[in-house]
Amino acid sequence: MTDTESLRKRALTTLITARERTTLLTSCVEDPDLTAQHSPLMSPLVWDLAHIGNQEEQWLLRAVAGREAMRPEIDSLYDAFEHPRSERPTLPLLPPAEARQYAAEVRGRVLDLLESTAFHGSRLTEAGFAFGMIAQHEQQHDETMLITHQLRRGPQALTAPDPEPAPLFTGPSEVLVPGGPFTMGTSDEPWALDNERPAHRREVAPFFIDTTPVSNGAYQAFIEDGGYEDERWWAPAGWGHIRQHSIHAPLFWHRDGKQWLRRRFGVTEVVPPEEPVLHVSWYEADAYARWAGRRLPTEAEWEKAARHDPAGDRSTRYPWGDADPEAEHANLGQRHLRPAPVGSYPEGESPLGVRQLIGDVWEWTASDFLPYPGFRAFPYKEYSEVFFGPEYKVLRGGSFAVDAVACRGTFRNWDYPIRRQIFSGFRTARSGAV
């Protein structure tokens, strides 16, 4: 099989995988749930569905194939920058059946296009980038739709097997990452997005980082010690936010007598102490770290812990090496609807012994979302450039809701520090070599 044939097969597989997941997320509830807005933070599910089709049409059928617009009158309805999420339910959106038909018609034409496209000649088509970009875009919206399902009130609509039980992790609580330079970012990952580029050398002082993400049990200790009531641990803006909104625990948690319960995709359950804490804001993560006498890792520290192989002084694609993720490496792709216990996936650990850096929960870092030296926006400024600045904090590593196509050691996510509906957790770090 030639390289072009391999790329074509990869593009086909990732597009089909994304559409299967989109179909699951939009077929497990009735139409009223698709058109409702379940939170002002999120779009109606039917908006995401048609937006997925519209982006695919614009970038593959129009930009790559040079074809005329199928339905130019709907472009503005599904422009994420023209209409904030809070007002999307008031727009004349395509109803569910029509949205499905539109997305399916676009996909049928795209699959025909994929058979004939030469993967060279332009930046959009080189190595199948545009097809990879669209597969990643759809999977990112699938994660967004899964967040909407979590926010949705009502009976359980989604099911999935739990992760395999793991023995209690008894390894070291932290790992020393040696100081020195390493290669951050990438210039040769064919489907990497603009904010991951270019590769560049970054110097990092020695530091310790948690071997696993912070668990629910550890976070409960912070709560029980009055962490939400003690201003000492909080950034001023974070303290003001939790006071204003009466926040006393992670989102979806509530106390029942002496135990904590949580709501997870329509099911109420006891908070499992062995799982990574989930649905916490950057402010909460930062406060816990201060309470624990530690701090959040910087983005560069996180990436060095995840990618640096000291044996060869090189950066790998993933903590376990360069091979694409398999089930034994990480909890990805909505295979499960919850994180695996901390310490799981020993085959996915980094050369230094850090676990679960990919999958399970997005991990907040201390860093603002900023461009790398030599950054160039591609293929449009609105993907990354308009978000650069101190308003957004970087998250790394992906979650159980992220597909492998949209998750790698260089992948960067970002959000406001108040956000909690996302599948976010964290691990802590401390400076020094002793």
Side-chain angles (χ1 to χ4, degrees):
M1 184 178 290
T2 67
D3 287 344
T4 297
E5 289 172 339
S6 298
L7 286 167
R8 206 182 309 278
K9 182 178 180 181
R10 183 187 180 206
L12 176 63
T13 299
T14 53
L15 287 169
I16 290 174
T17 299
R19 187 51 48 90
E20 288 175 345
R21 186 176 175 197
T22 300
T23 300
L24 170 65
L25 290 163
T26 55
S27 64
C28 63
V29 291
E30 300 296 327
D31 285 1
D33 271 331
L34 295 179
T35 57
Q37 186 175 46
H38 299 284
S39 165
L41 297 173
M42 311 304 291
S43 307
L45 292 168
V46 75
W47 185 93
D48 287 288
L49 174 59
H51 170 77
I52 286 168
N54 188 248
Q55 286 291 105
E56 188 167 336
E57 185 203 344
Q58 289 195 45
W59 286 104
L60 297 182
L61 298 183
R62 300 187 208 174
V64 171
R67 298 180 187 175
E68 294 294 321
M70 292 169 57
R71 299 193 61 170
E73 75 281 2
I74 70 171
D75 285 354
S76 66
L77 297 177
Y78 298 102
D79 185 330
F81 287 89
E82 187 169 338
H83 301 288
R85 289 175 174 175
S86 58
E87 72 176 39
R88 290 173 190 170
T90 67
L91 301 174
L93 303 177
L94 299 182
E98 197 171 346
R100 290 190 185 98
Q101 182 180 2
Y102 169 64
E105 186 175 351
V106 171
R107 175 53 58 87
R109 298 184 187 190
V110 162
L111 295 183
D112 290 340
L113 173 67
L114 179 59
E115 289 296 315
S116 60
T117 300
F119 287 173
H120 57 78
S122 75
R123 286 190 66 189
L124 268 181
T125 56
E126 186 69 33
F129 173 81
F131 294 92
M133 178 183 74
I134 287 301
Q136 291 177 82
H137 175 264
E138 182 162 356
Q139 286 285 5
Q140 288 170 319
H141 275 272
D142 288 341
E143 182 179 10
T144 298
M145 289 194 284
L146 190 62
I147 292 170
T148 302
H149 274 279
Q150 168 64 13
L151 289 163
R152 167 185 166 272
R153 293 286 183 175
Q156 182 179 19
L158 293 165
T159 59
D162 286 341
E164 288 294 318
L168 181 67
F169 179 69
T170 57
S173 62
E174 63 179 4
V175 168
L176 172 63
V177 180
F182 80 106
T183 299
M184 187 171 184
T186 180
S187 295
D188 53 19
E189 182 74 31
W191 291 358
L193 303 170
D194 60 2
N195 63 61
E196 302 171 63
R197 301 172 182 269
H200 58 287
R201 296 293 277 178
R202 189 71 68 94
E203 185 83 21
V204 174
F207 67 98
F208 289 88
I209 192 167
D210 290 340
T211 309
T212 69
V214 171
S215 69
N216 287 322
Y219 198 84
Q220 284 181 46
F222 167 66
I223 298 174
E224 301 306 329
D225 195 45
Y228 280 87
E229 314 303 324
D230 193 334
E231 187 176 358
R232 287 180 298 165
W233 313 128
W234 297 83
W239 179 252
H241 181 74
I242 67 162
R243 294 292 97 190
Q244 179 183 353
H245 296 278
S246 299
I247 294 171
H248 302 285
L251 188 60
F252 306 116
W253 286 31
H254 69 274
R255 194 190 291 274
D256 180 28
K258 294 184 178 180
Q259 65 181 356
W260 285 99
L261 304 180
R262 73 177 181 188
R263 179 168 58 85
R264 184 180 60 84
F265 299 109
V267 175
T268 298
E269 60 189 13
V270 175
V271 171
E274 71 282 0
E275 284 186 13
V277 68
L278 189 63
H279 297 300
V280 289
S281 68
W282 184 91
Y283 289 128
E284 289 169 292
D286 178 64
Y288 173 95
R290 295 177 193 225
W291 169 81
R294 298 171 68 84
R295 59 176 175 80
L296 296 179
T298 67
E299 183 182 12
E301 288 174 336
W302 188 98
E303 187 166 326
K304 185 168 187 179
R307 299 185 62 216
H308 182 62
D309 184 355
D313 189 26
R314 71 184 191 96
S315 291
T316 56
R317 295 177 67 215
Y318 298 96
W320 55 85
D322 295 326
D324 288 339
E326 299 290 346
E328 66 269 18
H329 293 132
N331 180 8
L332 293 167
Q334 201 180 308
R335 189 169 69 248
H336 311 295
L337 288 171
R338 64 196 309 152
V342 296
S344 296
Y345 303 106
E347 293 186 48
E349 72 179 21
S350 75
L352 296 172
V354 188
R355 295 196 181 183
Q356 289 168 287
L357 286 156
I358 298 293
D360 285 308
V361 294
W362 284 107
E363 298 185 15
W364 288 109
T365 73
S367 300
D368 299 335
F369 184 48
L370 299 172
Y372 290 159
F375 167 84
R376 292 186 178 181
F378 178 79
Y380 56 104
K381 291 184 177 181
E382 289 79 10
Y383 182 73
S384 302
E385 187 172 328
V386 299
F387 298 101
F388 289 145
E391 296 88 358
Y392 295 93
K393 294 295 185 182
V394 174
L395 302 103
R396 287 301 206 104
S399 72
F400 66 88
V402 176
D403 186 80
V405 74
C407 182
R408 49 195 161 264
T410 58
F411 194 93
R412 307 173 75 196
N413 191 8
W414 64 94
D415 215 325
Y416 291 114
I418 63 171
R419 289 290 185 251
R420 310 199 309 153
Q421 83 278 11
I422 58 178
F423 299 114
S424 52
F426 64 100
R427 71 182 73 215
T428 68
R430 65 183 175 96
S431 303
V434 292

